[in-house]
Amino acid sequence: MLDVAWLVPALPLAGFIVLLLFGRRMGEPWAGWFATAIIAAAFFVSLVVFAGLVGEPAEERIFTQTLFTWMPVGGFSVDLAFLVDPLSVTWMLLVTGVGALIHMFSIGYMHGDEKFHTFFTYLNLFVLAMLVLVMGDNLVVTFLGWEGVGVCSYLLIAFWFTRDDPPVAGKKAFVTNRIGDAGFMLAIFLVFATIGSVRYLDLNEAAGQMATVTAAAICLLLMVGAIGKSAQIPLFVWLPDAMQGPTPVSALIHAATMVTAGVYLMCRVAPVLAEVPDVGMAIAWIGALTALVGALIATSQQDIKKVLAFCTVSQLGYMFIAVGSAEYVFAVFHVLTHAFMKGALFLGAGSVIVHGMHHDQDMRHMGGLRKYMPITALCFIVAALAISGVPPLAGFWSKDEILLYSWGKSPALYLVGLTAAFFTAYYMSRQVFLVFYGKPRWEGTEEAPEPAVVGAAAGGSAAAPAPDAPAPDVHGEGHGEGHGGGPHESPWVMWVPLAVLAVLAAVGGVLELPFSSATEHLSRWLDPVFESALSSYHPSTAWKWAGPIISAVVAFAGIGTAALIFLKQRVPASKVEPKVLERGFYYDESIAWTVDHPGRASWDFVAWEVDAKGVDGVVNGAGVATLATGRVLRRLQSGYVRGYALGIAVGAALLLGWFVIAGGV
């Protein structure tokens, strides 16, 4: 059954080609259903591969499938080959499973868009790139998928390129990720120079014999790549702006694909990372700071998608804490539960934006939507409670395991993570209360959502959006039946995938329950991959009981604080939403100012002083000197033989004089 692994990426490749050639002819909705069926088929094949791997003894669950030799250059040879083991199969199931649900949701979300088939063409290509990334047998194939994901993210974030902001956001994501890519490429070069191979199996086998400084350099360079792709400090600025893309793209990037690539890469080289614990500590602290900063910024965002974007940044920080603490199983566990939770949250937000608020994303204009969108509200609230760490939902188990074991790495890491957990529960509850509870703020106000934003055909009166409200997602003439009028529930094609993800967000914790080895399914599945790379820390029994209780108390404290402010209104919201958090600590503006002022001035200096006057000056000076010398020498070339004879005589006399003086004659 493992021999069919190649079909997993081949299916979305075939889907991409068919949609590219015949997508327009298929039209809506068949292009969407075709793309969804392709990814669903890839998920089915992944299940077959998973079953085949389960049938093997734990120590033999590694299968390499070589398609052909890709780069035979002298002593350097790279195969286009896939590595099928528990780690890659876990990601294959995640990418295709959650990806298929997001494809299905997109059929309803993109209804009416004139580039409907193009959107699904890009989605299939995105899934293909991600599968190549996680199935690659070596660093070069992974890098191929890595770059493919980057290109697809640019195409999808800038999908509505006729508007002002999406192309800028797409370029920002593309350029920011190139910084990380440079680190990844240098790591590939260093790995090949060190062991003469770029295969993961060879690299991990050689980890024990590698010099510490070499192992540290490889891990640090790969960490730079992971920081860029997984939006960690200081390269997280592209992720919030990626919200300019259609909401299903946000769900795909944040939940199942692109941002988890960095976590996957660091897990893949776990044996090398185990040789340099100091690098692990650096990764853990980058994750902890990212978790806290992302959570703090999320507390004051007004855009429903921006809150979720900074939430993703924060949750990725938890995954980095787990990687840095050598608790790779818990990192993968949180990747899985986060995919369920964040997928449900983004699809819920998309449902609210399209069928509740007619493309208004400002939460200050919402309120009371649970009465009009009961399914969306229920699913969103379940996912919000799960990511807040409320027991016994999925997020409680995965986040608590990370916090519990981070204590073994450093108590300070634990405290920072616990503080971020409080703010996570606070900002997610704030979002739920602002969107689904309280008095509807879209009734009888200037900011009331009106169908006129989507199209005059809906028949509503025009409404002026708030000054700082994001530009409307104009993508077509309307959303079909039931789109006009006030907020209403989304069609089944949108709420069914949302409901499936919400159920998974509720029960996903069963993958790794810490009661006994019999309930630790994910550990038994992944332990053969990580083996000795895992941390040796074992919490005491008392700490195993106290840790979850503290986490639950912190989660309820965050929810209670948000309820007092946004439900009971005991404290004005303006008091707890300072401008510095709303503007993300002015980090983005600082980068823009630095690039535009000292950055531009320094490059102007390089261009006009160093290059124009220095480099060009040396070249031009050499030319001028040559011309001047030529003018002088030209006078000696008179054409008279007597002149040349005189020159020869003088030269001979000088030489003779020199010999006489030098020889002491």
Side-chain angles (χ1 to χ4, degrees):
M1 289 193 285
L2 298 178
D3 291 335
V4 299
W6 65 274
L7 272 175
V8 179
L11 283 166
L13 174 62
F16 165 71
I17 295 172
V18 170
L19 286 168
L20 188 67
L21 297 177
F22 308 108
R24 184 182 294 277
R25 192 173 299 176
M26 286 183 185
E28 183 189 349
W30 299 113
W33 281 115
F34 174 78
T36 304
I38 282 287
I39 303 303
F43 176 66
F44 175 76
V45 177
S46 299
L47 283 175
V48 172
V49 174
F50 169 72
L53 215 55
V54 169
E56 300 289 333
E59 64 277 8
E60 297 177 9
R61 288 174 182 165
I62 296 180
F63 173 70
T64 301
Q65 189 171 45
T66 303
L67 301 185
F68 55 86
T69 300
W70 181 20
M71 295 183 192
V73 183
F76 178 71
S77 178
V78 177
D79 295 333
L80 186 58
F82 298 134
L83 175 62
V84 179
D85 69 352
L87 185 62
S88 60
V89 169
T90 302
W91 248 273
M92 286 158 59
L93 290 169
L94 173 68
V95 172
T96 55
V98 177
L101 292 171
I102 294 172
H103 271 67
M104 182 178 173
F105 178 90
S106 303
I107 295 171
Y109 187 89
M110 296 302 290
H111 175 54
D113 195 291
E114 62 181 7
K115 296 193 296 178
F116 184 88
H117 69 283
T118 305
F119 182 76
F120 285 94
T121 305
Y122 292 162
L123 282 189
N124 267 204
L125 185 62
F126 201 161
V127 173
L128 165 66
M130 192 64 197
L131 287 170
V132 170
L133 191 158
V134 300
M135 293 179 68
D137 161 74
N138 54 70
L139 286 162
V140 176
V141 174
T142 295
F143 191 70
L144 176 68
W146 189 276
E147 289 303 298
V149 167
V151 171
C152 292
S153 69
Y154 171 76
L155 293 173
L156 285 167
I157 293 170
F159 185 72
W160 290 316
F161 61 85
T162 54
R163 290 164 44 189
D164 293 335
D165 294 336
V168 176
K171 283 186 283 188
K172 189 174 184 178
F174 194 79
V175 171
T176 307
N177 274 280
R178 296 293 75 74
I179 299 172
D181 295 350
F184 194 166
M185 283 197 296
L186 290 173
I188 295 174
F189 300 151
L190 184 56
V191 168
F192 179 74
T194 305
I195 65 172
S197 169
V198 291
R199 295 180 71 232
Y200 288 117
L201 295 179
D202 296 336
L203 173 62
N204 290 336
E205 188 177 345
Q209 293 79 44
M210 205 176 286
T212 303
V213 65
T214 305
I218 291 172
C219 290
L220 286 172
L221 289 170
L222 291 175
M223 184 185 76
V224 172
I227 286 173
K229 199 64 83 179
S230 291
Q232 297 292 286
I233 288 178
L235 299 179
F236 67 89
V237 290
W238 66 270
L239 193 57
D241 285 8
M243 298 299 99
Q244 292 295 335
T247 300
V249 175
S250 306
L252 198 60
I253 290 176
H254 287 243
T257 57
M258 188 168 169
V259 297
T260 66
V263 181
Y264 172 82
L265 182 64
M266 300 314 294
C267 289
R268 180 52 83 191
V269 297
V272 186
L273 197 53
E275 299 297 320
V276 281
D278 289 343
V279 176
M281 181 61 90
I283 293 173
W285 270 111
I286 288 172
L289 292 176
T290 304
L292 183 59
V293 169
L296 285 171
I297 296 174
T299 60
S300 299
Q301 299 304 305
Q302 307 301 342
D303 186 316
I304 186 172
K305 287 174 66 177
K306 280 284 183 70
V307 175
L308 299 180
F310 282 107
C311 174
T312 299
V313 171
S314 180
Q315 298 304 309
L316 287 166
Y318 283 106
M319 298 168 202
F320 269 62
I321 292 175
V323 169
S325 303
E327 300 294 349
Y328 302 101
V329 174
F330 302 141
V332 177
F333 186 26
H334 202 54
V335 166
L336 294 174
T337 60
H338 178 258
F340 304 148
M341 298 181 294
K342 195 50 62 69
L345 289 169
F346 265 113
L347 297 193
S351 179
V352 166
I353 291 168
V354 174
H355 290 280
M357 299 300 296
H358 301 290
H359 303 275
D360 187 350
Q361 297 179 193
D362 195 325
M363 295 189 299
R364 291 170 295 189
H365 305 160
M366 302 180 186
L369 287 176
R370 73 183 191 285
K371 191 163 62 176
Y372 305 91
M373 310 180 74
I375 300 174
T376 298
L378 178 62
C379 295
F380 194 97
I381 291 170
V382 168
L385 290 173
I387 208 166
S388 298
V390 172
L393 304 177
F396 168 75
W397 301 109
S398 59
K399 192 186 302 181
D400 181 67
E401 294 281 38
I402 293 173
L403 290 175
L404 194 68
Y405 283 80
S406 68
W407 181 274
K409 191 73 173 178
S410 166
L413 273 177
Y414 170 80
L415 292 175
V416 173
L418 195 66
T419 306
F422 169 81
F423 286 114
T424 302
Y426 169 79
Y427 67 70
M428 287 311 306
S429 303
R430 167 182 177 265
Q431 187 172 45
V432 167
F433 296 146
L434 286 175
V435 175
F436 296 106
Y437 287 83
K439 183 182 177 181
R441 293 179 293 281
W442 38 268
E443 289 181 339
T445 65
E446 290 184 353
E447 296 83 6
E450 294 294 342
V453 174
V454 175
S461 59
D468 54 350
D473 294 342
V474 181
H475 62 279
E477 298 301 323
H479 289 271
E481 55 282 351
H483 187 74
H488 55 271
E489 190 54 82
S490 299
W492 70 270
V493 74
M494 292 177 70
W495 68 253
V496 166
L498 171 59
V500 171
L501 287 169
V503 170
L504 291 172
V507 304
V510 298
L511 291 170
E512 180 74 10
L513 294 174
F515 302 128
S516 71
S517 59
T519 59
E520 295 174 341
H521 307 292
L522 201 59
S523 290
R524 292 203 310 278
W525 172 245
L526 292 173
D527 274 354
V529 177
F530 301 123
E531 295 180 342
S532 59
L534 289 169
S535 166
S536 59
Y537 174 67
H538 297 288
S540 66
T541 304
W543 181 231
K544 282 185 176 179
W545 280 100
I549 292 172
I550 294 172
S551 296
V553 169
V554 165
F556 284 116
I559 295 171
T561 305
L564 286 175
I565 298 171
F566 298 99
L567 273 186
K568 302 296 182 183
Q569 298 180 345
R570 300 286 175 81
V571 179
S574 58
K575 298 283 187 186
V576 294
E577 296 173 357
K579 207 69 175 175
V580 66
L581 295 182
E582 188 177 346
R583 304 295 291 271
F585 293 105
Y586 299 100
Y587 183 61
D588 210 2
E589 288 94 329
S590 300
I591 293 176
W593 184 87
T594 304
V595 171
D596 199 36
H597 290 82
R600 184 184 294 274
S602 62
W603 289 116
D604 281 348
F605 174 79
V606 170
W608 300 113
E609 299 297 330
V610 177
D611 186 42
K613 295 182 180 177
V615 178
D616 290 355
V618 170
V619 175
N620 294 335
V624 170
T626 304
L627 280 173
T629 306
R631 288 193 191 98
V632 173
L633 294 176
R634 188 176 61 186
R635 294 175 182 172
L636 301 178
Q637 302 297 319
S638 61
Y640 296 112
V641 175
R642 61 177 181 273
Y644 300 144
L646 178 61
I648 293 171
V650 170
L654 289 174
L655 279 174
L656 183 61
W658 182 81
F659 281 123
V660 169
I661 295 172
V665 177

